[in-house]
Amino acid sequence: MANGQLKPVAGLLLVLNFCMYAIVLGIGGWAMNMAVEHGFIIGPGFDLPAHFSPIYFPMGNAATGFFVTFAMIAGVVGIASIISGFYHYRYWSTSSLPAAISAATIAWTLTLLAMGFACKEIELQIRNARLRTMEAFLIILSATQLLYIAAIHGAA
């Protein structure tokens, strides 16, 4: 690639996004564990609650289940896109660019979807500090992932 001026920016964004996606996965794993441990007990002789949801989370509000689920999906795909991005960063050639851009774009769109559920959760207002942290990271990740896509695509 002729233009290597954006390579340090792409490297910085790769490291930043990796750390943030890892934190999102950690908090999402905690929330998923809480939902499994403190969910509804369903079995013989137990009736379902009136407003049963298969995506029930004991903390947060009605959007929490969807938010955590899509945040975990976005986190896993984001980490996968960072692996592809690291390969592109290492070789910085036109042959590795399409894989890095397509993986980063898919991760960005899933991050935007999770950010939409984060905005809905913010609107409904009942949530704890860990969920607020995950919301903030996803909102920041939606911007930094777009900047990363622009940095590697602009250097083409």
Side-chain angles (χ1 to χ4, degrees):
M1 303 193 119
N3 188 359
Q5 296 173 346
L6 292 175
K7 188 174 179 181
V9 174
L12 175 69
L13 288 170
L14 268 175
V15 171
L16 177 68
N17 287 352
F18 176 78
C19 293
M20 292 180 72
Y21 276 126
I23 291 170
V24 164
L25 283 174
I27 296 172
W30 165 82
M32 197 65 75
N33 185 43
M34 289 290 291
V36 169
E37 287 183 0
H38 302 293
F40 294 120
I41 298 172
I42 301 173
F46 291 109
D47 293 329
L48 289 176
H51 299 287
F52 175 72
S53 171
I55 305 177
Y56 171 74
F57 280 74
M59 79 298 271
N61 52 43
T64 302
F66 297 104
F67 168 62
V68 171
T69 301
F70 283 104
M72 298 257 314
I73 293 169
V76 169
V77 175
I79 294 290
S81 77
I82 288 171
I83 292 169
S84 175
F86 177 71
Y87 177 79
H88 173 64
Y89 179 79
R90 215 169 110 196
Y91 294 105
W92 204 254
S93 66
T94 55
S95 64
S96 62
L97 180 65
I101 285 184
S102 62
T105 303
I106 293 168
W108 177 63
T109 56
L110 287 170
T111 303
L112 285 179
L113 181 62
M115 186 197 70
F117 284 116
C119 292
K120 185 63 177 177
E121 192 175 44
I122 290 169
E123 180 185 329
L124 295 177
Q125 294 183 350
I126 303 170
R127 61 208 194 277
N128 63 18
R130 290 180 182 159
L131 292 176
R132 283 193 294 259
T133 303
M134 197 159 78
E135 292 162 1
F137 279 165
L138 279 167
I139 291 169
I140 294 167
L141 270 168
S142 65
T144 58
Q145 187 72 10
L146 181 62
L147 288 175
Y148 168 70
I149 292 169
I152 64 173
H153 191 66

